[in-house]
Amino acid sequence: MQKSILILGACGQIGTELTFALREKYGNENVVASDIREGNEDIMASGPFEILDATNYEAIEDVVMHYEIEEVYLMAAMLSATAEKFPMRAWNLNMNSLFNVLNLCKEKKISRIFWPSSIAVFGPNTPKKNTPQNTIMEPSTVYGISKQSGERWCEYYFKKYGVDVRSVRYPGLISWKTLPGGGTTDYAVEIYHKALSEGAYDCFLQKDSMLPMMYMEDAIRATLNLMDNPSENLKVRSSYNLAAMNFTPEEIVRSIQKHIPDFTISYAPDFRQAIADSWPNSIDDSQARQDWGWKAEYDLEKTTEEMLKNLR
Ligand code: SER
């Protein structure tokens, strides 16, 4: 199957790996990567690359017309920790970029959208264990508020205008190719880098903070799978719960120590602790399993093996 794709925010943690995966699947020349600034050299060298501001409708429209784009993956966003520092900038980026792609699809200039949501849509009043697909949300972070609002708009555009937008609520994502930036779950990536470079890590969350996490390969597979499914399979047009593993800093330390016995950890929780405290411990993803056959493959031990092997 041939189609032309545009990725907004292609140089970020998810965008990088998504671009490589989509280029492998659809051919380098059919996948246009874009970001607000130049980034990953392999991304820029392996196929078309455009400097593009996701908040600029006309600029996106020009690229969409020029390359005859059918599908857009909107990966540009300000994450939870940074968004607490710059609330209005986060709101403007996260919402305006979404409206831009929703409106492009409403105007029939593109035919399908992927937009990521997050476990951050949940809040302190949400049931923490096995958080259901449909439940109390009430997010307490700027990022979470933007994602929850985004979900409502996605569902609205689907119902009202037939916009084919698809979404998952990513847990914290663990990967080695590109560092995350500005999130609360970033510790679970940094810790592997520090374990190898310094043999020690100072963690910004406390040792018993349990959060839902996922290895990037699973996240990419989920994304491609969701986008491949026929529209009628997808019952959820806000965003699907997605789960793989849940662990605390203490548990990831133990898993790393199986490979690096001398690795040490210290704990200095900062403002990100309150963000983590407001999020679920684990997620019920049975709706995604049922509707499009989702199943995670990586647990913590397998993730640790992959992370250490590749970072070495
Ligand atoms: N990983 C994100 C963050 O920590 C949540 O989606 O902000």
Side-chain angles (χ1 to χ4, degrees), residues 13 79-81 117-120 143 170-173 182-186 279:
Q13 188 199 11
L79 295 188
S80 61
S117 186
S118 158
I119 53 164
Y143 175 69
Y170 287 131
L173 295 181
T184 301
T185 56
D186 296 10
W279 290 351

Side-chain angles (χ1 to χ4, degrees), residues 72-293:
V72 174
Y73 291 69
L74 171 55
M75 312 312 288
M78 195 184 287
L79 295 188
S80 61
T82 312
E84 290 305 296
K85 295 181 180 154
F86 307 104
M88 292 325 295
R89 264 167 61 187
W91 178 258
N92 288 334
L93 169 61
N94 296 358
M95 298 313 294
N96 292 339
S97 58
L98 176 59
F99 278 121
N100 285 344
V101 293
L102 288 174
N103 285 327
L104 275 170
C105 201
K106 180 187 166 196
E107 300 300 329
K108 308 258 182 280
K109 302 209 159 117
I110 53 174
S111 55
R112 191 171 292 176
I113 299 166
F114 176 80
W115 172 78
S117 186
S118 158
I119 53 164
V121 293
F122 300 116
N125 297 323
T126 304
K128 280 208 175 300
K129 290 199 176 69
N130 276 324
T131 301
Q133 175 68 42
N134 298 303
T135 185
I136 300 169
M137 297 173 91
E138 302 177 9
S140 58
T141 63
V142 173
Y143 175 69
I145 294 169
S146 76
K147 287 296 182 187
Q148 196 203 10
S149 310
E151 287 191 7
R152 296 290 89 228
W153 280 110
C154 287
E155 194 182 278
Y156 183 88
Y157 268 68
F158 172 74
K159 286 191 172 151
K160 195 92 177 175
Y161 310 120
V163 163
D164 188 359
V165 55
R166 301 164 180 218
S167 178
V168 292
R169 294 171 178 153
Y170 287 131
L173 295 181
I174 303 175
S175 66
W176 53 271
K177 282 193 187 137
T178 308
L179 281 167
T184 301
T185 56
D186 296 10
Y187 93 87
V189 178
E190 288 169 14
I191 197 168
Y192 290 107
H193 287 263
K194 293 283 181 183
L196 288 168
S197 64
E198 293 172 26
Y201 180 60
D202 193 27
C203 186
F204 59 76
L205 296 183
Q206 63 199 31
K207 61 181 178 188
D208 59 351
S209 276
M210 180 172 285
L211 289 170
M213 300 276 183
M214 181 176 283
Y215 188 56
M216 186 62 84
E217 208 171 296
D218 271 340
I220 298 297
R221 199 164 44 79
T223 307
L224 299 192
N225 193 344
L226 175 71
M227 293 301 276
D228 276 348
N229 258 264
S231 188
E232 58 272 19
N233 288 4
L234 310 178
K235 308 281 182 287
V236 176
R237 290 299 184 145
S238 51
S239 188
Y240 277 98
N241 274 7
L242 206 59
M245 56 184 146
N246 320 292
F247 58 76
T248 64
E250 208 170 27
E251 286 165 344
I252 193 173
V253 169
R254 276 205 292 275
S255 148
I256 293 172
Q257 282 170 338
K258 287 180 191 159
H259 304 263
I260 308 172
D262 294 338
F263 174 54
T264 59
I265 182 105
S266 51
Y267 296 97
D270 65 14
F271 73 101
R272 288 168 281 194
Q273 185 62 51
I275 302 176
D277 288 344
S278 76
W279 290 351
N281 300 143
S282 57
I283 299 286
D284 175 358
D285 63 357
S286 47
Q287 183 91 41
R289 290 165 179 264
Q290 206 176 302
D291 289 2
W292 43 281

